[in-house]
Amino acid sequence: MGAMTAGLRELKKQQTRQSISDTATRLFIEHGFEKVTIAEIAAAAQVAKMTVTNYFPRKEDLALDTHETFIASLARTVAARAEGESALAALRREFMAAVERHDAVTGFSGPDFARMIADSPTLTARLRELHELREDALARVLAADTEAAPGDLTPRAAAALLTTAHRTLFQQVMDLSLAGRDNREIAAVVAGAAHRVFDLLEPSLAGYAVRPRPS
């Protein structure tokens, strides 16, 4: 009974968090991120102002509510790569799959959401910060997996190249969304661009951080 109660309590928390985020995003799209207050979000979501800030200490994360998944995405892909697979190959494979399913982590969000971010200096800055945090997370995984010596810049350099590729493609998705292209069109264009971008990295990173096969 205790486990069931705890599970229901957690489900209720998740539902409340999602409801607040959905309400906030709707208001941000309608009125602009900078113009909407936390008090207005709380009133529209029918919760206390403190409830909003308890779930979302930063106002930006009300809009970018999947930031934790976004930050961890590249590192998780590399950490879970198959035997004999390089970091580049794993990230390329997962990116292409994410584009095919129109995943928000690659930038698919629709024109209204893309416009909300583009029109807000605060959200644009926060998105840039999330890209940097994602690079940091990837660099840590690469350093650990390759047993890099302290001070070795190779994992950081590799993470910078790989994250920049993803950031560039993410921006292309956003730009195409702003131009009114639908998800199928965007996916077709970005898939082609992704192959070219990842091909550029092959000469330097194809053999880097390859997961060893059992001897």
Side-chain angles (χ1 to χ4, degrees), residues 5-76:
T5 301
L8 290 173
R9 188 181 303 117
E10 183 59 31
L11 177 61
K12 178 62 175 177
K13 287 181 179 179
Q14 292 175 2
Q15 291 173 337
T16 300
R17 186 182 190 279
Q18 190 62 55
S19 175
I20 293 170
S21 177
D22 290 346
T23 300
T25 300
R26 175 176 57 79
L27 292 174
F28 294 152
I29 288 174
E30 290 176 357
H31 306 291
F33 177 83
E34 269 76 19
K35 293 182 179 179
V36 178
T37 67
I38 297 297
E40 290 170 336
I41 293 167
Q46 298 183 323
V47 298
K49 183 178 177 181
M50 185 175 293
T51 301
V52 176
T53 56
N54 283 342
Y55 281 103
F56 299 95
R58 295 182 61 153
K59 182 184 173 184
E60 301 96 302
D61 294 337
L62 281 157
L64 303 170
D65 64 324
T66 60
H67 61 280
E68 293 177 352
T69 299
F70 181 84
I71 290 169
S73 59
L74 304 188
R76 286 176 177 169

Side-chain angles (χ1 to χ4, degrees), residues 11-211:
L11 177 61
K12 178 62 175 177
K13 287 181 179 179
Q14 292 175 2
Q15 291 173 337
T16 300
R17 186 182 190 279
Q18 190 62 55
S19 175
I20 293 170
S21 177
D22 290 346
T23 300
T25 300
R26 175 176 57 79
L27 292 174
F28 294 152
I29 288 174
E30 290 176 357
H31 306 291
F33 177 83
E34 269 76 19
K35 293 182 179 179
V36 178
T37 67
I38 297 297
E40 290 170 336
I41 293 167
Q46 298 183 323
V47 298
K49 183 178 177 181
M50 185 175 293
T51 301
V52 176
T53 56
N54 283 342
Y55 281 103
F56 299 95
R58 295 182 61 153
K59 182 184 173 184
E60 301 96 302
D61 294 337
L62 281 157
L64 303 170
D65 64 324
T66 60
H67 61 280
E68 293 177 352
T69 299
F70 181 84
I71 290 169
S73 59
L74 304 188
R76 286 176 177 169
T77 296
V78 169
R81 68 194 185 284
E83 294 169 356
E85 189 174 38
S86 69
L88 172 60
L91 289 170
R92 180 176 193 150
R93 169 178 51 76
E94 174 53 28
F95 183 86
M96 301 308 295
V99 168
E100 188 172 339
R101 61 178 181 264
H102 306 159
D103 197 321
V105 78
T106 60
F108 286 87
S109 57
D112 293 338
F113 192 90
R115 175 57 59 192
M116 175 190 72
I117 293 176
D119 287 346
S120 168
T122 304
L123 289 178
T124 300
R126 177 55 173 162
L127 182 59
R128 184 163 53 249
E129 181 183 11
L130 294 180
H131 281 295
E132 292 170 355
L133 291 171
R134 186 159 71 156
E135 179 182 319
D136 291 341
L138 178 57
R140 288 193 297 272
V141 168
L142 290 173
D145 279 11
T146 60
E147 299 181 345
D152 183 355
L153 291 180
T154 306
R156 169 59 65 181
L161 290 169
L162 292 164
T163 306
T164 297
H166 282 78
R167 185 188 303 213
T168 301
L169 293 165
F170 185 99
Q171 188 59 52
Q172 185 181 40
V173 174
M174 296 285 285
D175 291 342
L176 291 170
S177 296
L178 287 170
R181 307 285 285 274
D182 64 35
N183 283 347
R184 289 181 61 187
E185 290 181 293
I186 295 171
V189 172
V190 174
H195 283 302
R196 295 190 294 274
V197 169
F198 287 119
D199 282 349
L200 289 173
L201 299 179
E202 285 285 342
S204 57
L205 294 176
Y208 176 70
V210 176
R211 170 152 288 173

